[in-house]
Amino acid sequence: LEANMTLSEIIEILSIIFSTIIGAISIYYSNKAIKIASEANKLTAEITADANRPVVVAYLETVEIESFHKYMVIKNFGNTPATILDLKFMWSIDKYDFNMSSLIGCTIAPSQKFMHFINDETEGIVRVNIIYQTATGQHFDEVYQVKLNATEKLFWIGNGEEDKQLKFMKNATEAFIKVLK
């Protein structure tokens, strides 16, 4: 600084220097805040997509009408549709006329399910591999183990004094309601 500078000139120069430093710090923290907000938006989008994705599951369902009747079920528990690309059963149950291959290429809506009757004597564990994709093209490859004799120790108790037709109608109504769930 020149020796003959006035106090007001020195104050002006210092004001410019401090303003520049404060401006640079502000820009730095603004960029940092923008980066944090961008990462938060990306994370929110991922969480939203994950929460709304299809979840196609294989499981055993039973319906009680005088006795248990078993069904293999493929259901979309998610919030968006899925297209089934492949469906493999790792255990030969073809001898029971079990075939759900017609579902390959099928779009399954949220809460929609497909059921296939399973002979009551069929036992064992079936590994089901379901490969499906979302409407946006994201692929999922899920494997489920379905124990076909899971209900063998369960039993249905009805009132022995009821009329058989009334008991059948009650069970049929109950089964119908259960299937609609």
Side-chain angles (χ1 to χ4, degrees):
L1 298 175
E2 272 184 43
N4 57 358
M5 285 180 66
T6 65
L7 181 64
S8 82
E9 289 175 329
I10 293 173
I11 292 174
E12 258 183 63
I13 290 173
L14 289 175
S15 295
I16 291 170
I17 291 172
F18 285 126
S19 296
T20 304
I21 290 171
I22 290 172
I25 291 171
S26 297
I27 289 171
Y28 170 79
Y29 281 109
S30 293
N31 283 338
K32 195 172 184 175
I34 289 170
K35 189 181 280 187
I36 289 170
S38 175
E39 289 171 4
N41 284 342
K42 182 180 175 184
L43 184 60
T44 301
E46 288 172 7
I47 290 170
T48 302
D50 195 46
N52 288 313
R53 79 172 187 89
V55 180
V56 181
V57 176
Y59 64 96
L60 179 74
E61 185 167 299
T62 59
V63 176
E64 304 86 20
I65 305 173
E66 290 295 320
S67 64
F68 283 107
H69 297 278
K70 300 184 292 189
Y71 294 87
M72 175 67 71
V73 178
I74 306 295
K75 181 174 181 177
N76 182 358
F77 284 96
N79 295 320
T80 53
T83 301
I84 297 174
L85 301 176
D86 200 4
L87 188 59
K88 299 175 190 164
F89 296 89
M90 288 81 160
W91 187 73
S92 180
I93 48 180
D94 292 336
K95 61 184 174 184
Y96 302 105
D97 293 326
F98 189 93
N99 189 343
M100 295 182 88
S101 63
S102 63
L103 298 180
I104 296 171
C106 179
T107 298
I108 182 167
S111 298
Q112 185 178 16
K113 68 180 177 180
F114 296 102
M115 299 171 60
H116 190 290
F117 177 76
I118 297 174
N119 188 313
D120 291 337
E121 290 81 39
T122 307
E123 296 181 350
I125 294 176
V126 177
R127 284 176 36 106
V128 183
N129 180 217
I130 307 170
I131 301 172
Y132 59 96
Q133 76 177 10
T134 66
T136 60
Q138 187 178 11
H139 284 74
F140 293 94
D141 188 336
E142 315 266 1
V143 176
Y144 298 96
Q145 292 201 28
V146 181
K147 185 176 179 184
L148 298 180
N149 58 336
T151 59
E152 75 181 358
K153 302 274 184 190
L154 304 176
F155 60 96
W156 175 83
I157 299 177
N159 183 345
E161 297 175 15
E162 281 187 64
D163 178 283
K164 274 196 164 229
Q165 280 186 322
L166 177 62
K167 189 161 103 175
F168 177 78
M169 287 175 51
K170 281 183 182 180
N171 287 342
T173 302
E174 188 177 299
F176 181 70
I177 291 168
K178 185 176 180 180
V179 169
L180 289 178
K181 290 182 186 180

